């Protein structure tokens, strides 16, 4: 048969990585105008032709009809949600992060658009009894006597799973059973019922005389053309029954109008011309504006001390992009930073701002996606996932606090937002601006090598000096009560702040009350039964909790191992720090900010607003309070302890410690009043503590880059972490060893000549999480196309082996080596 026949390449949902390819399907002629790249479809898959949802990656025409191709059964989407650019990103994620096509699809499209698929069966001709086998008659009898559709569906699904699909198909072919497919979107569209006057009314084709109240409704609609039912009832003081009667008489018709669920509250609009840049800011603004105007892919680093006014530069740059018909994305690393940032931007840019982060409801995320895709929203603010916003004519991407680890995804697809942003700049000929007081070592290195343009803000915008930093040696008995978390020096300064009606921020990067409980007799700690980690005691509910898997238990009275009642609570979390501080300063109003106090919706906004309004004197919390926040009345910052982070053993532990100290210290003295900071530590002479107290980033960079170069760590190589997990320790151990052998054999057989250094296999720092044993291999490499192709082949070959049946394997480029 000759002619133009459409073929669709389809990627399947729930496909394993080893079998994740594009499958070819014939497109029936009546579906050709409905199918495009990104459209979700229902197709038969595998030997049993089970119906599966997939999405179309591309389509093409061929002259001959291939009878071997299975047909597309149904088109699910009215139109594709995936733009051409997002499709390119899906393919990029597939190649660069070793994920499946559908994992990439679910990352770029909000989960609220997902469909739940169910098959329903009904008996349409129960009278047919001839030519039915005994098994077929049994099925018919069961369906005839069933009480509900749900019972029938469950029964037939069990039959299909038990290799009796042929019985069901035979009954369908004989016209006894009818099969229907149901698709229900996870979140529906938000609509409002609207009314308008009909053509019959305007043409006088209605008989019934209008009542006085009906006249009011008609007069309103003649003036405004259309209005919602609620608006009509309110403005005319009538009941919905009046409107229903008008509809019944064909004078008025009803229709559904989609409205968007608001993600933010309205604020008073300000004039952006009120933002005035100082000389340093203006130099940076001019330089980056020129990059935007060049319309070439480029990267820039804005390195500025805390309080130097980077946000003002962001606003002016985004205004510049918008005036030139472009859109912009601003990413922040923490949800905690979003409310303050969003509030500022909405006050200047109004409804052109959309937000994307995990604290929004599914419906709000769906609607924000639509607003961005249809061009209604030109500015997108959000966390890591905002990098996938379907912006039209993207002109600028900004990564605030670009060195933060939260920009790296730790689940498939394991991407870094910076790498995705670089790809989007290439697609759109636009600019990626990375900004921080403590940029990542890799980014600053590339800026020094002129891969990125470097702009610096070396002074605070207000002209104030950076806060003075006092390092407190916690081993000095003259300065601290050995039983206290707080040094005498810090407590005295907190008292002074209270007297002056000034606010303080205290950082302790561990939540909970006590971080572990130990038996004094047998020295056993109370551990999580699912993870190889101690449980943290939470005083508020008198329970112990695992912060990895969520397991909880009551506080034990006796040791589970030896029965002793001599249990000692040790370690310090934010709850204990809050309790002790309240005893030391009984009149102080203290706000605790950690994962326990910010779990409810809008808790970030509410708590930060209360602190900004002066309802609290002291805010104590984890790292969520360390970065990007601006409270003019904060003049004191105290770091209770960061020594544990400093000695974690990860190659980035020094960088994280320096960044956290520098950032939290920068929350102090951001307005007219001078600021001060206290660092409590047991290692005051450590060079990282010393350089952080001086806020000397360049000094720290020079030390750290030499260490990285000597030991060959990024940016002088890339790290590929191959992870293994299984419920069975023996399986995960054997799989990690076998994977290394497969890798060696692949290199030898294919004569691959690329530099590699392999560390491991070895148990992860936390050897078991959520009842899964964990091992890993770390490969020092160059992340190029040849290496990725090799790793993809080795992963697929491994996963197809029987010995890997119970083992989950993944590869992560430049992932976290800490846990």
């Amino acid at each position: 048969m000759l002619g133009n026949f459409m073929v669709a390449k389809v990627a399947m949902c729930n496909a394993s990585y080893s079998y994740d390819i594009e499958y070819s399907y014939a497109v029936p002629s009546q579906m050709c105008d409905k199918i495009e790249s990104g459209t979700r479809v229902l197709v038969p898959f595998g030997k049993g032709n089970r119906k599966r949802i997939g999405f179309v990656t591309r389509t093409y025409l061929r002259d001959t009809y291939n009878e071997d191709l299975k047909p597309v059964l149904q088109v699910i989407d009215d139109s594709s949600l995936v733009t051409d650019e997002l499709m390119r990103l899906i393919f990029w994620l597939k190649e660069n992060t070793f994920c499946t096509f559908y994992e990439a699809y679910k990352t770029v499209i909000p989960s609220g658009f997902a469909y739940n698929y169910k098959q329903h069966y009904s008996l349409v001709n129960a009278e047919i009894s001839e030519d039915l086998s005994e098994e077929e008659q049994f099925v018919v009898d069961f369906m005839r006597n069933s009480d509900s559709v749900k019972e029938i569906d469950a029964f037939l699904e069990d039959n299909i799973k038990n290799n009796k699909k042929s019985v069901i198909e035979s009954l369908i072919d004989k016209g006894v059973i009818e099969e229907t497919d149901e698709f229900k979107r996870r979140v529906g569209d938000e609509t409002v019922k609207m009314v308008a006057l009909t053509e019959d009314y305007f043409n006088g084709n209605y008989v019934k005389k209008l009542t006085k109240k009906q006249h009011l409704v008609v007069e309103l609609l003649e003036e405004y053309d259309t209005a919602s039912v609620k608006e009509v009832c309110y403005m005319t003081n009538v009941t919905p029954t009046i409107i229903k009667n008008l509809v019944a008489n064909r004078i008025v018709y009803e229709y559904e109008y989609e409205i968007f669920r608001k993600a933010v509250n309205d604020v008073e609009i300000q004039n952006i011309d009120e933002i005035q840049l100082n000389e340093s800011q203006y130099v940076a603004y001019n330089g980056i504006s020129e990059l935007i105007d060049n319309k070439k892919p480029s990267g820039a680093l804005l390195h500025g001390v805390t309080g130097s006014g980077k946000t003002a530069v962001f606003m002016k740059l985004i205004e510049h992009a918008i005036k030139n018909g472009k859109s912009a994305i601003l990413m922040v690393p923490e949800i905690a930073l979003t409310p303050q940032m969003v509030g500022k931007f909405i006050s200047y840019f109004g409804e052109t701002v959309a937000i994307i982060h995990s604290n929004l409801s599914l419906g709000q995320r769906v609607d924000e996606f639509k607003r961005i895709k249809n061009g209604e929203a030109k500015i997108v603010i959000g966390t890591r996932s905002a990098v996938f916003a379907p912006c039209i004519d993207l002109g600028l991407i900004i990564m605030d606090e670009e060195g933060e680890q939260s920009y790296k995804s730790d689940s498939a697809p394991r991407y870094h937002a910076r790498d995705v942003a670089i790809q989007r700049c290439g697609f759109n000929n636009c600019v990626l601006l990375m900004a921080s007081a403590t940029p990542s070592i890799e980014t600053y290195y590339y800026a020094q090598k002129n891969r990125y343009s470097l702009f610096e803000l070396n002074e605070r915008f207000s002209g104030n000096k950076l806060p003075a930093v006092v390092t407190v040696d916690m081993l000095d008995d003259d300065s601290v009560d050995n039983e206290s978390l707080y040094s005498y020096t810090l407590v005295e300064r907190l008292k002074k702040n209270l007297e002056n009606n000034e606010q303080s921020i205290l950082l302790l990067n561990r939540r909970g009350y006590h971080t572990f409980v130990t038996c004094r007799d047998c020295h056993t700690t109370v551990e999580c039964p699912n993870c190889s980690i101690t449980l943290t005691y939470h005083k508020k509910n008198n329970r112990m909790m695992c912060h990895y898997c969520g397991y909880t238990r009551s506080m034990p009275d006796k040791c589970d191992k030896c029965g002793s009642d001599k249990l000692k609570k040790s370690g310090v979390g934010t709850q204990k720090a809050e309790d002790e501080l309240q005893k030391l300063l009984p009149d102080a109003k203290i706000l605790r900010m950690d994962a326990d106090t910010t779990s409810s919706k809008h808790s970030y906004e509410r708590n930060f607003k209360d602190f900004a309004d002066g309802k609290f004197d002291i805010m104590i919390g984890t790292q969520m309070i360390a970065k990007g926040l601006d409270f003019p009345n904060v003049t004191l910052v105290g770091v209770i302890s960061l020594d544990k982070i400093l000695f974690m053993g990860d190659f980035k532990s020094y960088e994280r410690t320096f960044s956290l100290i520098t950032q939290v210290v920068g929350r102090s003295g951001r307005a007219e009043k001078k600021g001060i900071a206290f660092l409590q530590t047991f290692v005051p002479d450590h060079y990282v503590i010393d350089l952080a107290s001086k806020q000397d980033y360049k000094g720290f960079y020079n030390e750290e880059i030499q260490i990285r170069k000597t030991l060959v760590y990024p940016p002088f190589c890339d790290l590929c972490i191959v992870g293994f997990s299984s419920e069975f320790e023996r399986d995960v151990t054997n799989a990690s060893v076998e994977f290394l052998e497969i890798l060696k054999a692949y290199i030898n057989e294919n004569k691959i000549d690329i530099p590699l250094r392999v560390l491991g296999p070895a148990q992860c720092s936390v050897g078991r999480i959520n009842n899964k044993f964990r091992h890993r291999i770390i490969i020092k490499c160059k992340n190029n196309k040849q290496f990725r192709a090799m790793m993809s082949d080795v992963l697929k070959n491994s996963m197809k082996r029987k010995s890997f049946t119970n083992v989950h394997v993944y590869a992560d480029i430049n992932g976290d080596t800490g846990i």
Side-chain angles (χ1 to χ4, degrees), residues 40 81 86 105-114 186 356 362 364-370 388 390:
R40 283 172 290 186
L81 297 169
L86 290 183
Y105 178 92
K106 291 190 295 184
T107 299
V108 304
I109 301 298
S111 58
F113 284 109
R186 193 171 179 186
I356 297 177
L362 291 178
Q364 287 173 326
R365 277 179 266 178
V366 163
D367 288 350
E368 292 293 81
F369 181 91
K370 291 179 183 177
F388 297 109

Side-chain angles (χ1 to χ4, degrees), residues 480-550:
V480 65
D481 175 0
N482 288 329
E483 297 299 319
S484 175
L485 297 172
Y486 300 97
S487 64
Y488 174 80
T489 308
L490 178 57
V491 172
E492 287 303 303
R493 186 54 195 247
L494 286 168
K495 290 178 180 177
K496 184 177 179 181
N497 256 34
L498 289 173
E499 292 171 2
N500 294 335
N501 292 318
E502 296 172 0
Q503 292 175 300
S504 308
I505 291 178
L506 300 177
L507 174 71
L508 176 62
N509 206 33
R510 289 297 299 270
R511 64 188 175 106
Y513 198 87
H514 292 290
T515 53
F516 61 96
V517 175
T518 310
C519 175
R520 292 177 181 268
D521 287 341
C522 69
H523 308 295
T524 301
T525 55
V526 181
E527 294 190 345
C528 173
N530 308 319
C531 309
S532 54
I533 195 165
T534 57
L535 295 176
T536 299
Y537 174 67
H538 289 249
K539 184 180 179 181
K540 187 173 182 179
N541 56 6
N542 195 35
R543 295 188 69 82
M544 304 197 70
M545 178 182 293
C546 175
H547 292 165
Y548 282 89
C549 72

Side-chain angles (χ1 to χ4, degrees), residues 9-11 38-41 53-57 87 90 101-102 105:
K9 289 287 189 178
V10 179
T39 305
R40 283 172 290 186
V41 292
I53 292 178
F55 75 94
V56 177
T57 56
M87 184 58 73
I90 286 173
F101 279 114
Y102 221 84
Y105 178 92

Side-chain angles (χ1 to χ4, degrees), residues 129-138 167 170 174:
S129 58
E130 56 188 46
D131 297 331
L132 294 186
S133 67
E134 186 177 337
E135 287 184 319
E136 291 172 345
Q137 188 63 53
F138 175 77
V167 176
S170 175
K174 292 176 181 179

Side-chain angles (χ1 to χ4, degrees), residues 197-443:
L197 295 171
T198 65
E199 288 295 323
D200 285 344
Y201 169 77
F202 288 113
N203 296 331
N205 297 331
Y206 63 96
V207 179
K208 192 171 181 179
K209 187 178 179 180
L210 297 179
T211 66
K212 185 177 179 180
K213 289 187 176 181
Q214 288 175 337
H215 262 299
L216 292 174
V217 174
V218 169
E219 287 173 359
L220 178 73
L221 294 177
E222 283 179 337
E223 181 179 354
Y224 293 102
D225 292 331
T226 184
S228 71
V229 171
K230 284 187 178 180
E231 287 173 331
V232 171
C233 292
Y234 175 76
M235 296 174 74
T236 61
N237 197 27
V238 302
T239 64
T241 305
I242 302 296
I243 298 174
K244 286 181 180 179
N245 291 333
L246 286 169
V247 172
N249 293 319
R250 295 189 302 176
I251 297 170
V252 164
Y253 70 93
E254 292 179 328
Y255 65 96
E256 297 290 334
Y257 178 78
E258 184 179 0
I259 59 173
F260 292 138
R261 286 155 281 219
K262 295 187 68 172
V264 292
N265 297 322
D266 294 328
V267 298
E268 185 179 344
I269 300 297
Q270 302 179 56
N271 187 350
I272 196 168
D273 292 335
E274 295 173 358
I275 298 177
Q276 298 296 316
L277 304 180
N278 62 26
E279 184 177 349
S280 297
Q281 290 173 314
Y282 193 73
V283 169
Y285 166 78
N286 268 348
I288 300 166
S289 295
E290 286 181 14
L291 294 177
I292 296 173
D293 294 340
N294 287 339
K295 297 181 181 179
K296 294 180 180 179
S298 55
L301 171 63
L302 180 59
H303 177 217
V305 298
T306 54
S308 57
K310 294 184 286 294
T311 302
V313 177
F314 297 164
M315 288 184 173
K316 287 293 190 180
L317 288 169
I318 289 175
E319 181 198 25
H320 179 79
I322 299 299
K323 282 183 176 179
N324 285 281
K326 300 293 185 179
S327 56
I329 296 173
L330 169 60
M331 289 184 284
V332 293
E334 299 270 359
I335 294 175
L337 301 184
T338 310
Q340 275 202 341
M341 191 70 77
V342 168
K344 289 178 183 178
F345 272 79
I346 289 180
S347 68
Y348 289 107
F349 296 103
E351 293 185 353
T352 61
V353 177
I355 62 173
I356 297 177
H357 59 73
S358 58
N359 263 19
L360 297 181
S361 69
L362 291 178
Q364 287 173 326
R365 277 179 266 178
V366 163
D367 288 350
E368 292 293 81
F369 181 91
K370 291 179 183 177
R371 291 180 61 229
I372 299 164
K373 189 170 182 287
N374 66 24
E376 183 179 327
K378 296 286 188 181
I379 303 168
V380 180
I381 302 176
T383 49
R384 180 178 66 221
S385 58
V387 76
F388 297 109
C391 296
I392 299 173
D393 292 328
L394 189 58
L396 176 65
I397 302 175
I398 300 174
M399 287 183 68
D400 193 20
E401 309 297 352
E402 70 82 30
E404 281 302 295
Q405 184 65 22
S406 57
Y407 282 123
K408 179 72 169 68
S409 170
D410 57 5
S411 61
R414 294 176 169 83
Y415 67 91
H416 196 293
R418 179 179 56 240
D419 298 330
V420 179
I422 289 171
Q423 293 302 310
R424 296 201 69 175
C425 288
F427 298 157
N428 292 276
N429 292 317
C430 67
V431 175
L432 168 62
L433 173 61
M434 296 159 283
S436 181
T438 55
S440 66
I441 296 296
E442 294 90 333
T443 296

Side-chain angles (χ1 to χ4, degrees), residues 408-670:
K408 179 72 169 68
S409 170
D410 57 5
S411 61
R414 294 176 169 83
Y415 67 91
H416 196 293
R418 179 179 56 240
D419 298 330
V420 179
I422 289 171
Q423 293 302 310
R424 296 201 69 175
C425 288
F427 298 157
N428 292 276
N429 292 317
C430 67
V431 175
L432 168 62
L433 173 61
M434 296 159 283
S436 181
T438 55
S440 66
I441 296 296
E442 294 90 333
T443 296
Y444 197 75
Y445 173 80
Y446 292 133
Q448 294 290 317
K449 296 295 181 182
N450 295 319
R451 181 181 294 189
Y452 305 136
S453 301
L454 178 61
F455 302 91
E456 298 193 280
L457 302 175
N458 296 317
E459 296 181 355
R460 285 191 155 182
F461 172 75
S462 60
N464 287 0
K465 297 293 184 183
L466 289 167
V469 180
V470 178
T471 303
V472 180
D473 184 356
M474 298 299 282
L475 289 176
D476 185 350
D477 290 336
D478 294 334
S479 64
V480 65
D481 175 0
N482 288 329
E483 297 299 319
S484 175
L485 297 172
Y486 300 97
S487 64
Y488 174 80
T489 308
L490 178 57
V491 172
E492 287 303 303
R493 186 54 195 247
L494 286 168
K495 290 178 180 177
K496 184 177 179 181
N497 256 34
L498 289 173
E499 292 171 2
N500 294 335
N501 292 318
E502 296 172 0
Q503 292 175 300
S504 308
I505 291 178
L506 300 177
L507 174 71
L508 176 62
N509 206 33
R510 289 297 299 270
R511 64 188 175 106
Y513 198 87
H514 292 290
T515 53
F516 61 96
V517 175
T518 310
C519 175
R520 292 177 181 268
D521 287 341
C522 69
H523 308 295
T524 301
T525 55
V526 181
E527 294 190 345
C528 173
N530 308 319
C531 309
S532 54
I533 195 165
T534 57
L535 295 176
T536 299
Y537 174 67
H538 289 249
K539 184 180 179 181
K540 187 173 182 179
N541 56 6
N542 195 35
R543 295 188 69 82
M544 304 197 70
M545 178 182 293
C546 175
H547 292 165
Y548 282 89
C549 72
Y551 169 84
T552 65
R553 62 167 291 179
S554 58
M555 175 65 196
D557 297 323
K558 296 181 179 180
C559 174
D560 294 335
K561 183 177 180 180
C562 70
S564 171
D565 58 0
K566 298 177 181 177
L567 299 179
K568 180 183 178 181
K569 301 185 187 79
S570 305
V572 178
T574 49
Q575 290 180 13
K576 181 174 173 58
E578 179 189 19
D579 270 11
E580 185 170 328
L581 188 63
Q582 197 69 75
K583 292 175 183 176
L584 291 168
L585 305 171
D587 296 329
K589 297 185 287 294
I590 301 172
L591 171 65
R592 177 163 56 88
M593 291 289 289
D594 55 29
D596 298 319
T597 62
T598 58
S599 56
S600 63
K601 194 173 183 180
H602 304 306
S603 53
Y604 290 103
E605 296 96 317
R606 183 177 61 254
N607 289 343
F608 285 143
K609 184 179 185 303
D610 288 346
F611 188 73
D613 291 344
K615 294 180 181 179
F616 293 95
D617 304 310
I618 301 171
M619 178 162 59
I620 182 169
T622 54
Q623 66 181 15
M624 67 172 65
I625 67 170
K627 300 177 178 67
L629 299 172
D630 188 357
F631 299 109
N633 197 37
V634 171
T635 58
L636 168 63
V637 165
V639 178
I640 298 173
S641 174
L642 281 180
D643 293 351
K644 186 171 183 178
I645 300 176
L646 183 64
F647 298 111
M648 280 185 67
D650 176 19
F651 82 96
K652 283 197 169 186
S653 57
Y654 284 5
E655 182 181 355
R656 290 197 190 104
T657 305
F658 179 89
S659 175
L660 199 54
I661 292 174
T662 303
Q663 293 285 356
V664 73
V665 165
R667 299 314 104 203
S668 178
R670 296 174 70 90

